[in-house]
Every structure is written in structure tokens, then in C-alpha cells.
Amino acid sequence: MGVNSLEHLFWPKSVAIVGASNNPGKAGHQILKTLVEEKFQGKIFAVNTSENEVFGLKCYKSLKDIPDRVEMVVISIPAPGVPDVMKQAAERGDVKAAIIVSAGFAETGIPERIELEKQVVEIAKAAGIRIVGPNCNGIINTGNRISTSFAPGLKMIPGSIGYFTQSGATGGSLLLFASSQPQPLGFSKWVHVGNMCDVTNLEVLEYYASDPSVKVIAGYMEGVRDGRELMKLADRITRQKPLLVLKVGRTEVGSSATLSHTGTLAGSDRIYSAAFAQSGIIRVNTIEELVDSAKALVLAPYPKGNRISVLTEAGGLGIIAMDELGSDPAVQLAPVTQETQEALAKVLPPMAMICKPNGYVDMTAAAMEKEFAESLRLLLKDPNVDAVILIGLPPTFLPAENVAKAIVEVARNHEKPVMVCFMTGQVMEDARKYLEESGIPTFDTPDRAARAMINLIKAASRLNYKGSKVLTLVPDKIFSHNIVKEAAREGRNLLEPEAVQVLEDFGIRMQPFYFAKTEEDAVAGADAIGYPVVLKVVSPQIIHKSDYGGVKLNLYSPEEVRQAYAEIISTVKRKAPDAEIKGVIVTPFMKGGTEVIVGMLRDPQFGPVVMFGLGGVFVEVFKDVSFRVAPFDRDEALKMIAETKAYTILRGARGSQDKDIDALADLLVKIGEIAVSNPEIKEMDLNPVAVFERGLAVLDVRIITEN
């Protein structure tokens, strides 16, 4: 139906409350009370078989008895009665939207209740009625004063934030936190999607994207049914509006797949984080961070870069902010010019610590409002400074209001963001209120100020982003491989010779190899390839060859090859008596290079995901890995590599030569293309991959199919 159909949910001209009640213990009582007290700009109808009047409004016995037009219905009655109400709504012909507050549907997991929800959806779809819920608090729109929420203490403060939530209590808490700021933070719209039997959180996001009253989108997410659609939508939104998401479930439950290193290392949360970053979503970890960041985005100007200066009169508090800034590679300390440093030295007391390190200025507790103001002015004037975090706890002999006024006087003359931390407490309340009324966000603690600044910078760097759209694949890169399809049909994984062939056909240069079925074949292969060589068992039942004694390295002669072949066959038969041994692969023994892992798995929400990290025996020890949802381009692959500690090694740590990072990025892109083109592939491991000064070598590959 499209996002236009959501207009009936947010801007109805009339609303009927089915289950309206005079009993304060009922949700229908609270919803109707809020609509009346907030002066909803439309008609309100009460419906209840047992009431004659509620809040001075006539109470109709059924929905069909209302003589006027009804555009939206809010249903707050026991679940079994909901289908009948929906039938009445469908028969009326004028109802376009329904909010089902009632619980007791599919969320219970009870088959009969799941079926009950399906009945409601079928009735609604046939009549063209959009549903939010069931099991929800519905919507709030400050534009027309409508609220169907029964969360306590909510204040309808107009503003420019669009909230969405998969939890009514958490969503209500967001509004409570926002309204309790020194200057209450307003919002435009709020939605609790409940069971999402019809309207989904993605539809709400799309609606907010097109809503001019929404400048910042913020929400609480437990999960998403189609991760790839979320990414595509977020990619469009975040080029125009910031999108903040509190995604819960950070504990790594891991993937159900355990056949490959990739499957073992990937948890759903790590993939969510990668997908969010890839599509421009700013992920936050707490309710406080979500509200802090939204406040910063609403009040502060967008910075032109990521260089931050910390200005503090309390050393410990400044260090806390520095620690937070240092935790995120998206920002850096500002390289304050020598000219500014010299000017600061003239302004500040002799004991002040100026740019030690550069970008950090500790004014000391001797600073008065004049020093606060002049130091801030000098930093904001500096061309190398994009933003300033100002931290302090003004002593009793220095009224905080005086400092606040001095800060505002300076900040209003510069189009650079200033975040202020005066700590929390009633003694700072008036000063913080004055700052926020003047457009300068304030925060309870230094780390929260720093994190809000980081997220502001991330949002600013994403706006008007001109890079490639996410998850786009050039048509001529799509190649469904017959070897993969045949293995999947036969219900088996690819043998290593087959996996090597697949990679070669996708343009990945592989090492020479020889498939040997006897000792003499193995010797002939080694003679042809050249010594030293490696022997690896080939068996469809054996994924991790070394676990079964199926690998022999660094073989220098025909005698060593014969002995290694015999030992492999003997050991594998003993350790895996049911395994079918096809033979061995003979490949060159490669020396040198930095060992990394490149992997792929198919995630239930996001589809094919590529992994990169430090390889060999270290991969599961250090878990130094990064992820991207495929497909992606070379620029994204380079970012993926740079996120890991392996990047430092590849860049020539401790005097070693730089490795071929460009070749590695190309490999990551191609693995993504293979994964997207061949949906039969469940997991893939290239481990290790040796990266040299020029080029790389894939030393081992396994491809696991959906079988």
C-alpha cells in the first residue's frame, strides 16, 4: 500500500476507541483520557457495550452504531473479540487504519492465538485497513495532538525527532528521558509497532524519511525480518537524515553454523553492527546514548570534519572524555596550530596544560568565565578544529550561569558544534537550561558528551554521501557456477579441487595443484609442481583436514611425498573410518607472507556476509575479524581491512615490508560476488591466505553448500 497509507494512522480526522472505559485500570480509559486532555484535533468516539458515557462523550454500543465518519479505530478489548470489531470496521467502509492495543496474539506462541492474528490480518487486507500492532501502544503525533499510548508521564512536546520502537516500555522511556533534559527535548512522531502483523518498522522508517517534520530518526530495535531491505532503506535515508538505532541483543549467541571458522566467529550482533555501519545507521548502546545523540543532532550545527578539541578545567574529567574519543577511529584530536597554542598561553594561567597532547587543553580550576570564553573562542577560530567539547564543574566562587553566558556569547559566532559537560546536579540546572535554550547541548558526564560528539560527526560525514549504493552488484559479475549447483543437488560439500576451480573461474588466481589418487600420482604431481610441496586429503566428509591428520607440509623429496601420502591415508582412515577418501591434493609449500583469513557465511537476516581477519592459528584465539554484507565495492573492502589489527601488520609493522592490501581488497570483493551469485553456498573459508609484498596466495579453501 505504500507509506502514503500511513497518513491515516498519523493524521486521522476521527478516531473511535473500542474499549473506552471509566475504569482507570483499563488501557481504554487512559487512551481516551489522553486524547481528551491533549485536545486531539479531530473527532473522538467512545465504544463500549457496558458504558453510556466516558469523559463526557456518548458511548456507542458497537462500532457500526457510530453515525459519523470513522477514519481510525483504536481497539483495546480482549483478543478474542478483535476479529468481530475488525469485521465491523470493514463493513463500514470508511475505516482506513486500526491500532490494536490488545495483547494475546502471535506473541504468545500459542497456535490458536497465532491463527487469531492471521484472521485479523486477512480481514484488514481485504478492506484496505492498515494495522499497527497488535500488542502495542500505537502512535503519537504532536502535530495534531493524537496519542494512543498509555505509558505514564508522557509529555507531548513538539519537536523534530521521529521515534520508532519494538518495545512500548522502552519507547516510553525514551520520551521520558528526552523530556527530562535541562531543556525538554521535543519530538514529531512516535510509533510502537508491536507484533508488526501489518505495518513494520521498515515502513515507519520510510514514512519518516519522507516526513519534512522529522529531522532525526531514532529507535529501539530487537530485530528485523529482512536485513537487506533495512540496509537498502537506511542507505537512502542516512544520506539525507541521521538514523540512530538502539539494537539490543549484543551478547554473541553465535551462528547456528559451526562447520567453518567463519560460522564459529560470527555472531548475529557482529553482523548487525557491520550492516548498520555499512548502510549509515549509527548504532548506540544505551537509552542515554540514544537521547544524548538525538539532542546533539537536533541542537548543534553539523561539523565539517572529525577533528575535536577537548577544553576542560578539570583534568580527570578531561581524561574521561579523551578515553571515549580514543575508542572510536571515526574521530581524532584536533591538531591545534602553533599560533593558537601561543595565544592560549597568553590567556590561561601558567599552570595550564596546553596541547599535551595536541588538541587537549586543561585550563585548570583557576580559569574564570573570561578564560573559558577566550579559550573557546581561540579554539573555534582555529582552522584545524572542527568541534569542541567543553568540560567543567565551576566552583562556588564562579557561578555556572556566568560561564554559560560567556560560552553562548562565543559559540553563537561560530558554525562549529560545542558540547558542554557541567556534570549533573541541581546546582548546574539553570546554567544547563540556559545553554540548551541557546542551542548548545549539555551532558551529565564527559564520556556522554564525547560519545554524542562522535555520533554527531558520524552523522555529518554520512549526510549527502556520494558513494556507491549498498548491496549493488554489476550484472556481468553474476555467475551461477555449475560445480556449486551440482554439489548442492547431490547434497554434499565441494571437494577442494572443485572449490579451487570455482575460485579460478571467478578470476581469483590460485596456486598450481595436482589431484593424486595414488602415491605415484602424488610424486608425479610434486615433480611437475616443484619441491617443496604440501599434501592435503580430499574427502567430502572431512572439513577441517588437519584435525584428522590430513595435511603434510614442507615435503622436499619423492620419498617424503610417498611417506606423507601413506601416513595421510592411514591416519584419516583410523580417525574417520566412515569417510570416503578421494585422494590428495599436491600444492606448492609457500613461505613468508602474512597469513589472513577470508570467509563467508549466509546469515538468516542479511544473507551472504564476508569476513576478514588475522588468519592461521590466530583467528579463533584473537577473533580479530570484521564483516561486510555482500556485495560491496573495493572502497568498502579497504575499510573492512582497516578495522582490524591485522591492518597494522599488513602495513609493515616493526620494519617489515608493506603487504599488497589492494590485492586483498580485490579478493574480498570477489568472494562477495561468488556468494551473491551462488545462493547454494552456505559457508566458505579461505584460511590461510598468504599476503605478500606483491600479490597473495590462497593456501586452503573449503566451500560448504546448503544440503
Side-chain angles (χ1 to χ4, degrees):
M1 296 183 187
V3 295
N4 290 336
S5 63
L6 301 192
E7 286 286 298
H8 300 292
L9 286 161
F10 289 104
W11 296 97
K13 296 181 176 62
S14 57
V15 177
I17 312 301
V18 179
S21 174
N22 284 307
N23 182 352
K26 300 288 187 181
H29 173 90
Q30 184 61 52
I31 293 169
L32 188 56
K33 179 183 179 183
T34 301
L35 288 171
V36 171
E37 291 182 349
E38 290 291 350
K39 296 181 172 56
F40 164 59
Q41 297 172 5
K43 294 182 178 180
I44 305 172
F45 304 106
V47 179
N48 192 317
T49 57
S50 304
E51 303 279 7
N52 294 318
E53 185 178 283
V54 183
F55 288 107
L57 297 174
K58 176 182 178 180
C59 201
Y60 296 92
K61 300 301 180 184
S62 70
L63 192 61
K64 60 187 177 183
D65 294 334
I66 300 174
D68 291 332
R69 177 181 173 82
V70 177
E71 189 172 351
M72 185 167 80
V73 177
V74 179
I75 304 174
S76 180
I77 61 173
V82 173
D84 184 59
V85 174
M86 289 301 300
K87 288 176 184 176
Q88 293 181 41
E91 290 168 359
R92 286 186 61 94
D94 53 0
V95 176
K96 303 299 180 186
I99 293 172
I100 303 177
V101 176
S102 315
F105 289 90
E107 80 278 2
T108 65
I110 300 170
E112 293 81 4
R113 293 306 179 106
I114 295 172
E115 185 60 34
L116 191 67
E117 187 170 303
K118 288 180 180 178
Q119 291 176 26
V120 170
V121 173
E122 289 171 1
I123 296 167
K125 283 187 175 180
I129 300 172
R130 301 308 311 271
I131 298 176
V132 171
N135 184 33
C136 76
N137 273 355
I139 61 98
I140 304 174
N141 180 6
T142 59
N144 61 356
R145 313 294 294 177
I146 188 171
S147 172
T148 66
S149 175
F150 49 86
L154 298 187
K155 298 178 182 178
M156 198 172 288
I157 305 169
S160 57
I161 302 172
Y163 290 102
F164 69 97
T165 178
Q166 286 183 260
S167 163
T170 306
S173 298
L174 289 174
L175 295 184
L176 291 175
F177 268 85
S179 64
S180 65
Q181 298 301 303
Q183 172 64 20
L185 188 63
F187 66 101
S188 172
K189 295 178 179 66
W190 180 96
V191 183
H192 173 212
V193 291
N195 289 8
M196 295 192 291
C197 77
D198 176 27
V199 175
T200 66
N201 44 15
L202 296 192
E203 280 190 277
V204 173
L205 287 177
E206 194 167 3
Y207 180 82
Y208 285 169
S210 63
D211 186 344
S213 74
V214 173
K215 306 300 183 187
V216 176
I217 304 173
Y220 166 85
M221 181 179 290
E222 294 172 355
V224 65
R225 293 170 183 169
D226 191 332
R228 296 177 77 83
E229 282 305 308
L230 169 64
M231 290 181 68
K232 291 175 183 177
L233 178 59
D235 182 54
R236 297 198 306 270
I237 292 173
T238 56
R239 296 168 190 252
Q240 303 298 324
K241 298 179 182 183
L243 174 54
L244 303 165
V245 176
L246 171 56
K247 167 67 176 68
V248 292
R250 298 190 68 85
T251 303
E252 289 189 14
V253 295
S255 170
S256 59
T258 56
L259 294 176
S260 70
H261 289 295
T262 308
T264 303
L265 290 166
S268 60
D269 185 70
R270 301 186 79 161
I271 294 172
Y272 264 102
S273 289
F276 281 15
Q278 197 173 336
S279 53
I281 298 172
I282 298 171
R283 183 173 186 178
V284 301
N285 297 329
T286 64
I287 291 174
E288 292 91 340
E289 185 186 349
L290 186 68
V291 175
D292 287 346
S293 301
K295 176 165 65 173
L297 288 162
V298 167
L299 294 181
Y302 288 118
K304 292 181 170 59
N306 70 341
R307 301 166 300 179
I308 303 171
S309 181
V310 175
L311 178 62
T312 180
E313 56 89 27
L317 301 180
I319 294 169
I320 291 172
M322 292 278 283
D323 279 344
E324 189 68 26
L325 294 176
S327 71
D328 201 308
V331 299
Q332 60 176 311
L333 278 176
V336 176
T337 64
Q338 187 62 36
E339 180 184 356
T340 300
Q341 293 183 44
E342 292 171 358
L344 285 166
K346 293 177 182 178
V347 170
L348 293 173
M351 69 285 289
M353 299 287 289
I354 299 172
C355 292
K356 297 178 183 180
N358 200 355
Y360 177 75
V361 179
D362 183 353
M363 299 178 289
T364 76
M368 302 295 285
E369 63 258 44
K370 179 181 177 182
E371 285 78 14
F372 270 91
E374 187 60 16
S375 298
L376 179 61
R377 185 189 69 78
L378 289 169
L379 289 173
L380 290 175
K381 182 183 175 183
D382 192 306
N384 290 350
V385 176
D386 298 310
V388 175
I389 298 172
L390 193 155
I391 305 166
L393 186 61
T396 53
F397 54 81
L398 177 59
E401 294 91 331
N402 292 359
V403 179
K405 289 176 182 177
I407 291 169
V408 170
E409 188 64 30
V410 173
R412 65 169 41 131
N413 294 317
H414 298 83
E415 282 298 313
K416 295 181 180 181
V418 177
M419 307 285 181
V420 173
C421 171
F422 273 178
M423 302 302 289
T424 189
Q426 190 170 358
V427 70
M428 297 296 164
E429 187 174 328
D430 290 341
R432 292 183 61 182
K433 188 173 189 298
Y434 177 80
L435 285 164
E436 294 196 352
E437 286 175 345
S438 303
I440 298 175
T442 71
F443 304 91
D444 288 352
T445 60
D447 52 312
R448 286 174 61 176
R451 180 48 54 181
M453 181 69 85
I454 291 168
N455 290 340
L456 174 69
I457 286 172
K458 287 180 178 179
S461 67
R462 180 70 186 183
L463 293 177
N464 301 311
Y465 177 64
K466 303 300 182 185
S468 302
K469 294 180 179 178
V470 297
L471 308 185
T472 55
L473 185 65
V474 179
D476 61 8
K477 300 289 185 182
I478 299 174
F479 171 31
S480 181
H481 207 290
N482 287 331
I483 290 177
V484 175
K485 289 190 287 188
E486 181 180 353
R489 280 197 302 268
E490 294 175 359
R492 63 176 178 84
N493 301 320
L494 272 67
L495 301 174
E496 187 167 357
E498 295 174 316
V500 169
Q501 186 64 57
V502 169
L503 266 58
E504 283 187 339
D505 289 345
F506 269 89
I508 298 172
R509 187 176 178 182
M510 303 296 291
Q511 297 302 302
F513 78 94
Y514 192 90
F515 182 33
K517 297 183 179 180
T518 67
E519 288 183 12
E520 293 308 315
D521 281 348
V523 171
D527 288 341
I529 290 171
Y531 295 93
V533 296
V534 175
L535 266 58
K536 297 184 288 184
V537 71
V538 177
S539 169
Q541 287 79 34
I542 296 176
I543 304 298
H544 299 293
K545 306 175 187 70
S546 58
D547 292 348
Y548 294 87
V551 180
K552 295 291 182 179
L553 306 173
N554 206 13
L555 307 174
Y556 274 88
S557 67
E559 291 73 21
E560 289 183 359
V561 169
R562 288 190 183 93
Q563 182 179 349
Y565 184 96
E567 288 179 359
I568 285 175
I569 300 302
S570 173
T571 304
V572 171
K573 282 184 176 179
R574 185 177 73 253
K575 291 188 175 182
D578 296 329
E580 179 186 5
I581 300 174
K582 300 284 189 179
V584 302
I585 279 183
V586 184
T587 64
F589 178 72
M590 304 296 297
K591 295 181 180 179
T594 298
E595 289 191 354
V596 299
I597 181 173
V598 175
M600 168 263 159
L601 62 84
R602 202 164 295 277
D603 181 77
Q605 276 73 45
F606 293 97
V609 178
V610 175
M611 182 193 77
F612 165 75
L614 196 62
V617 298
F618 300 109
V619 60
E620 289 181 9
V621 176
F622 298 116
K623 298 184 179 180
D624 176 36
V625 292
S626 61
F627 294 88
R628 287 297 184 277
V629 179
F632 48 86
D633 60 20
R634 197 164 180 272
D635 288 342
E636 200 65 42
L638 290 170
K639 293 177 188 176
M640 185 179 178
I641 297 167
E643 288 174 2
T644 65
K645 293 180 176 64
Y647 180 68
T648 304
I649 300 172
L650 293 166
R651 289 295 304 271
R654 303 193 66 159
S656 63
Q657 291 293 314
D658 288 0
K659 302 304 186 290
D660 197 340
I661 293 176
D662 289 336
L664 182 56
D666 290 339
L667 175 63
L668 291 169
V669 170
K670 287 183 181 295
I671 293 302
E673 292 170 356
I674 295 172
V676 173
S677 303
N678 295 271
E680 300 89 352
I681 296 177
K682 179 181 180 181
E683 297 180 42
M684 194 182 331
D685 263 6
L686 284 64
N687 183 37
V689 175
V691 187
F692 305 104
E693 284 79 11
R694 294 191 61 183
L696 51 78
V698 178
L699 304 184
D700 192 73
V701 56
R702 58 181 64 91
I703 296 178
I704 299 166
T705 64
E706 295 276 6
N707 55 60

